[in-house]
Amino acid sequence: MEVTLLGTGDTTGTPTVGCDCDTCERARDPDAELREHARERGIDPSGGVERSRFSVYVRNEETGESLLIDASPDFRHQFLRESVPLPDAAVVSHVHFDHLDGLGNAYRLFDHLPVHAADETDPMTDESVAETVRHRYDYLDTVSVSAETPLEPFTVAGFEVTLVPVTHPPLLCYGLRIEEPQTGAVLSLSGDTCYDVPERSTAVLSGADLALVEGIVHPEACEFHPKGGADHAADGVPRTFGTKHMTLRGARDFAADIEAAEYRIVHTAHYVPADRAFADDIALDGERFTL
């Protein structure tokens, strides 16, 4: 299994349009330390480093097929930058625009793109993620939608994939477990979630070779959120920012909870201070892993 991180940022990405904060400026014009850090990760920093909107590309080296996890609005840029082939199928975790709106790129690029999403009806929208994707992109003949039941594995691109419910109010959202059956390699994705993930989902996500865990901001940012922080650790540090995203501390603790052999923090915002935003465990676009 080869995993390429196409997009590792939150809804505005880093650098953010029109922002001159220290983190965005350092991303646009990396200093020597950050350039070396990027090169060590196999990333060319000559044009800066970035965290575009979230998306992950997973290639099955046994079958030659590939799977796209979430369709970022930065789809075109990501595929041109990373020079990976178009995917054979896609999975959508939830219906927020930064995870879904890239599906419009299927127009004139694909002969057929199967999209898999959960079949569970969301009380807020009165339809499932699969139904939302189907009606939003019903004008694209190339897109077909398969509704999948959470916690029941299905097969796509030669992988065994399981959608796992996580906690991202007010909408339903899902993490994923992706296993390559021939080698047993496992990739887990937390999805957009707070730290309070259901126990059954935590169990399914556990034991991965690589975990991509959502962590949007540093814990101190909770004092600026109207709802503060939640899910405090024993030392009082909040592991949830507001109600629906993990802090960096939450992401690190969750990675330990699920006993991942290796992890990266994703969906990280530009609000993290510049001296902390590029830590070794916080992902950058373009990182690749072979499991």
Side-chain angles (χ1 to χ4, degrees):
M1 186 191 301
E2 184 178 78
V3 180
T4 302
L5 306 187
L6 296 178
T8 59
D10 71 329
T11 189
T12 66
T14 302
T16 291
V17 173
C19 182
D20 61 357
C21 75
D22 290 346
T23 298
C24 288
E25 289 299 305
R26 192 178 182 205
R28 290 189 187 97
D29 185 17
D31 53 35
E33 180 184 2
L34 182 52
R35 287 174 183 269
E36 179 60 26
H37 181 60
R39 292 189 188 99
E40 289 173 355
R41 298 189 185 196
I43 299 166
D44 179 4
S46 58
V49 298
E50 67 175 324
R51 295 187 175 115
S52 58
R53 273 73 69 88
F54 184 79
S55 191
V56 177
Y57 182 90
V58 189
R59 182 176 181 272
N60 188 325
E61 295 182 316
E62 294 291 323
T63 67
E65 298 171 281
S66 57
L67 181 64
L68 183 68
I69 309 303
D70 286 341
S72 167
D74 298 312
F75 183 107
R76 177 181 178 276
H77 168 64
Q78 292 170 347
F79 275 82
L80 288 173
R81 185 193 64 210
E82 298 307 323
S83 298
V84 291
L86 291 171
D88 295 288
V91 179
V92 173
S93 66
H94 67 298
V95 298
H96 280 153
F97 97 99
D98 52 325
H99 296 258
L100 175 59
D101 282 13
L103 268 185
N105 286 275
Y107 179 65
R108 294 199 296 186
L109 290 184
F110 293 87
D111 293 327
H112 179 222
L113 179 64
V115 177
H116 300 259
D119 66 359
E120 183 179 14
T121 300
D122 190 327
M124 289 297 297
T125 64
D126 202 30
E127 60 185 13
S128 67
V129 175
E131 288 170 329
T132 299
V133 175
R134 189 178 289 121
H135 87 244
R136 192 172 296 182
Y137 291 96
D138 61 357
Y139 67 93
L140 292 176
D141 294 337
T142 54
V143 172
S144 64
V145 181
S146 295
E148 309 292 352
T149 300
L151 297 172
E152 293 187 8
F154 59 95
T155 299
V156 57
F159 295 116
E160 184 178 275
V161 178
T162 307
L163 290 163
V164 296
V166 291
T167 310
H168 188 55
L171 298 178
L172 295 184
C173 183
Y174 304 88
L176 291 97
R177 177 187 174 92
I178 302 171
E179 182 169 354
E180 202 292 298
Q182 298 301 316
T183 63
V186 174
L187 168 68
S188 287
L189 300 92
S190 74
D192 284 15
T193 184
C194 73
Y195 180 77
D196 186 21
V197 174
E199 288 185 10
R200 188 174 180 187
S201 296
T202 299
V204 174
L205 295 172
S206 292
D209 297 286
L210 173 67
L212 303 178
V213 184
E214 197 247 19
I216 197 165
V217 291
H218 52 303
E220 297 89 336
C222 291
E223 68 177 277
F224 302 106
H225 193 290
K227 295 185 178 180
D231 300 314
H232 293 79
D235 58 2
V237 175
R239 294 184 284 201
T240 291
F241 176 67
T243 61
K244 60 183 181 179
H245 293 284
M246 283 191 274
T247 64
L248 296 180
R249 171 63 178 276
R252 289 169 178 139
D253 285 357
F254 188 75
D257 293 343
I258 62 173
E259 299 181 324
E262 186 172 10
Y263 75 93
R264 287 289 185 276
I265 299 173
V266 296
H267 206 264
T268 304
H270 69 120
Y271 299 115
V272 179
D275 61 343
R276 299 165 63 183
F278 305 99
D280 289 346
D281 62 354
I282 307 180
L284 292 173
D285 287 13
E287 286 192 79
R288 299 185 187 223
F289 303 85
T290 300
L291 310 183

